[in-house]
DNA sequence: TCTGGGGTCCTACCTCTT
DNA sequence: TCTGAAGAGGTAGGACCC
């Protein structure tokens, strides 16, 4: 094994489903699907037994049901997955503080400083896999490489696969050696590159580009004309195996939001207002939990035909209480046409800043909402999130 | 046969200020 | 006072990620 492979990408295998199987061992070996179980839900995680039938994550649940009617469909329990994820994070932190969580089931590690204690990248990968299995009963795949891109592709390559004969176990760990980097990278389809989604893929396909190797051979001008200068340069670098993004632990959030898709399109303005107040309350609660305030409030609406609009406004002083967030969101709502029906509504707050060291302005001290919000948080901490809420939402419940 | 919910980042365009 | 350039900040939308 050559030197300088300090980046690990660790990815739990069908995380949500595997956690459910741990809770109910009778599910083991069966097709299991975790995701939205309503009419408009999508698959969040599918067991390999379900993937044999063609079920994939992000697929509408309705389609998954047709593909695999005998699967067990579950709504999922995010609070519990978060707990398990925290446990895994603790295990990772024993090796290095340089852990960057990407999602509940995924993280990058920079083990440069841990090698004296724990060995080289591949050794640490093996150690982490067995520690996680021992302590949580869960399997994961790990990629070890010189940078994030290659480590990520490594963990992907290490995963179990669905073949013609059923589920084939994966290698568990794939080490991308410096000598074999470009060989390994260039074999991948372009979609494997960070930043190539459906739209960029279409443009690249028009140029006859199918693999990462094809991107690497493309003249810079051609690529930049097709996808834009900044994006083109970025893709070209990635296709050469160059990725200098550092592993960043503790990245502060840039926005906090809540959104909800309705079982049926909503056309009634009054009903939508009630929903927006409820979303705003949820966002404000999380802002306070993180000791954050925000300067921009954004309302997001998706029409029945999937057209999506956003409307945002700047608020001063920065806000973290339900009244202020919902007042801003409702005034944005007042300015939009609801004809055509709304299938999704969302409220988000961005341009966040910590409120711990902020001086309260005179306005805020006089408003009294700070004290009210504190009281709401205290009541919820004792009696549960549903114990108290905005009056319009609670009235709405009994309609 | 339809398309979740949590986000980040980038770009285009507009308005305001200098 | 008019006009234009340049930069900053705000807003909207799109693409992408898991």
């Amino acid at each position: 094994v050559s030197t300088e492979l300090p980046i690990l990408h660790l990815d739990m295998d069908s995380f949500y489903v595997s956690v459910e199987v741990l809770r109910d061992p009778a599910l083991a070996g069966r097709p299991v699907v975790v995701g939205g179980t309503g009419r408009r839900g999508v698959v969040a995680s599918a067991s390999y037994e379900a993937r044999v039938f063609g079920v994939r994550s992000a697929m509408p649940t309705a389609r998954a049901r047709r593909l695999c009617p005998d699967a067990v469909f579950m709504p999922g329990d995010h609070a519990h997955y978060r707990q398990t994820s925290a446990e895994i994070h603790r295990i990772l932190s024993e090796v290095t503080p340089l852990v960057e969580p990407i999602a509940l089931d995924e993280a990058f590690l920079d083990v440069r400083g841990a090698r004296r204690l724990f060995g080289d990248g591949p050794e640490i990968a093996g150690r982490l896999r067995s520690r996680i299995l021992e302590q949580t009963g869960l399997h994961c795949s790990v990629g070890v490489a010189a940078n994030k891109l290659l480590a990520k592709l490594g963990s992907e390559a290490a995963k179990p696969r669905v073949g013609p004969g059923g589920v084939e176990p994966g290698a568990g760990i794939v080490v991308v050696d410096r000598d074999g980097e470009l060989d390994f990278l260039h074999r991948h389809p372009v979609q494997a590159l960070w930043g190539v989604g459906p739209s960029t893929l279409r443009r690249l396909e028009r140029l006859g580009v199918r693999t990462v190797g094809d991107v690497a051979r493309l003249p810079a001008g051609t690529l930049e004309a097709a996808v834009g200068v900044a994006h083109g340069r970025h893709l070209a670098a990635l296709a050469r195996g160059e990725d200098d993004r550092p592993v960043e632990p503790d990245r502060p959030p840039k926005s906090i939001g809540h959104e909800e898709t309705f079982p049926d399109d909503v056309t009634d303005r009054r009903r939508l207002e009630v929903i927006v107040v409820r979303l705003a309350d949820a966002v404000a609660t999380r802002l306070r939990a993180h000791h954050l305030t925000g300067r921009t409030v954004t309302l997001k609406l998706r029409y029945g035909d999937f057209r999506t609009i956003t409307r945002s406004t700047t608020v001063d002083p920065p806000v973290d209480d339900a009244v202020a967030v919902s007042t801003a969101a409702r005034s944005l709502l007042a300015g939009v046409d609801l004809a055509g029906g709304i299938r999704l509504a969302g409220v988000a707050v961005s341009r966040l800043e910590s409120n711990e060291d902020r001086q309260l302005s005179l306005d805020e001290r006089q408003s009294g909402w700070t004290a009210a919000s504190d009281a709401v948080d205290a009541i919820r901490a004792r009696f549960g999130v549903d114990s108290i809420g905005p009056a319009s939402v609670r009235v709405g419940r009994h309609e």
Side-chain angles (χ1 to χ4, degrees):
Chain A
V1 174
S2 58
T3 53
E4 286 310 307
L5 299 176
I7 307 298
L8 270 59
H9 181 259
L10 185 141
D11 200 346
M12 303 304 296
D13 298 340
S14 52
F15 182 57
Y16 298 169
V17 162
S18 303
V19 172
E20 293 298 344
V21 172
L22 277 183
R23 284 211 281 196
D24 179 5
L27 295 172
R30 297 191 56 187
V32 178
V33 176
V34 171
T37 48
R39 278 209 302 123
R40 286 173 160 174
V42 299
V43 174
S45 174
S47 69
Y48 287 94
E49 291 80 5
R51 295 185 204 193
V52 171
F53 292 87
V55 176
R56 296 285 180 273
S57 61
M59 167 185 285
T61 312
R63 181 149 177 244
R65 273 188 211 281
R66 281 193 302 274
L67 287 171
C68 189
D70 296 330
V72 179
F73 288 85
M74 325 183 65
D77 177 352
H78 269 265
H80 187 235
Y81 306 150
R82 248 195 308 278
Q83 263 183 7
T84 309
S85 177
E87 212 176 311
I88 294 164
H89 190 93
R90 266 198 301 281
I91 296 168
L92 303 183
S93 307
E94 288 168 10
V95 166
T96 172
L98 295 179
V99 179
E100 179 181 335
I102 299 299
L104 289 184
D105 63 339
E106 210 179 308
F108 283 107
L109 287 82
D110 184 335
V111 299
R112 228 174 290 258
R115 287 185 289 197
R116 285 258 298 278
L117 236 54
F118 300 109
D120 63 6
E123 275 179 80
I124 292 173
R127 177 193 175 91
L128 288 174
R129 282 191 81 225
S130 32
R131 290 272 290 142
I132 290 171
L133 183 59
E134 270 166 35
Q135 297 225 340
T136 69
L138 296 167
H139 293 270
C140 65
S141 306
V142 186
V144 185
N147 62 40
K148 281 183 164 179
L149 169 70
L150 295 166
K152 165 108 180 142
L153 295 179
S155 72
E156 180 65 40
K159 283 200 168 293
R161 242 162 248 306
V162 172
V167 183
E168 300 158 11
I173 299 175
V174 164
V175 179
V176 185
D177 256 314
R178 305 261 23 196
D179 310 339
E181 266 176 12
L182 287 187
D183 245 18
F184 172 75
L185 175 62
H186 287 180
R187 281 201 304 270
H188 282 81
V190 266
Q191 301 98 292
L193 289 184
W194 214 290
V196 178
S199 169
T200 308
L201 178 63
R202 252 177 279 128
R203 293 179 203 198
L204 291 175
E205 275 176 344
R206 268 183 240 137
L207 299 174
V209 168
R210 306 182 64 91
T211 66
V212 176
D214 293 338
V215 177
R217 284 184 288 272
L218 217 53
T222 312
L223 181 59
E224 287 166 21
V227 304
V229 175
H231 197 194
R233 282 186 190 152
H234 183 229
L235 291 185
L238 292 180
R240 291 192 298 268
E242 296 163 14
D243 177 11
D244 57 6
R245 290 171 300 170
V247 171
E248 292 182 273
D250 313 317
R251 292 217 295 170
K254 303 244 161 122
S255 68
I256 287 181
H258 267 288
E259 60 187 57
E260 194 178 312
T261 298
F262 316 122
D264 297 288
D265 295 353
V266 175
T267 47
D268 179 50
R269 187 173 287 276
R270 173 73 196 124
R271 233 186 102 200
L272 207 51
E273 274 177 15
V274 172
I275 291 165
V276 163
V277 170
R278 178 161 49 76
L279 291 169
D281 178 43
V283 170
T285 302
R286 275 177 59 211
L287 284 170
R288 294 195 299 275
H290 287 88
H291 305 291
L292 293 168
T293 59
R295 288 184 175 278
T296 302
V297 176
T298 302
L299 174 74
K300 173 174 169 181
L301 295 174
R302 177 167 290 155
Y303 291 93
D305 63 3
F306 227 69
R307 191 168 48 91
T308 307
I309 62 163
T310 61
R311 295 291 177 266
S312 58
T313 183
T314 297
V315 287
D316 189 35
V319 294
D320 71 352
D321 70 274
V323 172
V325 177
S326 65
T327 301
R330 285 172 64 188
S331 76
L332 292 168
L333 178 64
V336 297
D337 182 12
L338 305 183
I342 301 297
R343 65 138 49 211
L344 168 148
V347 173
V349 174
S350 55
R351 290 174 67 204
L352 304 179
E353 48 193 65
S354 166
N355 69 1
E356 273 165 342
D357 41 25
R358 217 182 79 247
Q359 284 271 320
L360 283 183
S361 76
L362 193 61
D363 277 0
E364 287 169 285
R365 271 174 281 159
Q366 284 175 343
S367 80
W369 288 117
T370 306
S373 297
D374 287 349
V376 168
D377 292 340
I379 289 166
R380 281 184 173 148
R382 267 193 81 176
F383 303 108
V385 281
D386 287 337
S387 57
I388 186 167
S392 59
V393 174
R394 305 191 68 77
V395 169
R397 276 191 193 172
H398 301 291
E399 268 172 4

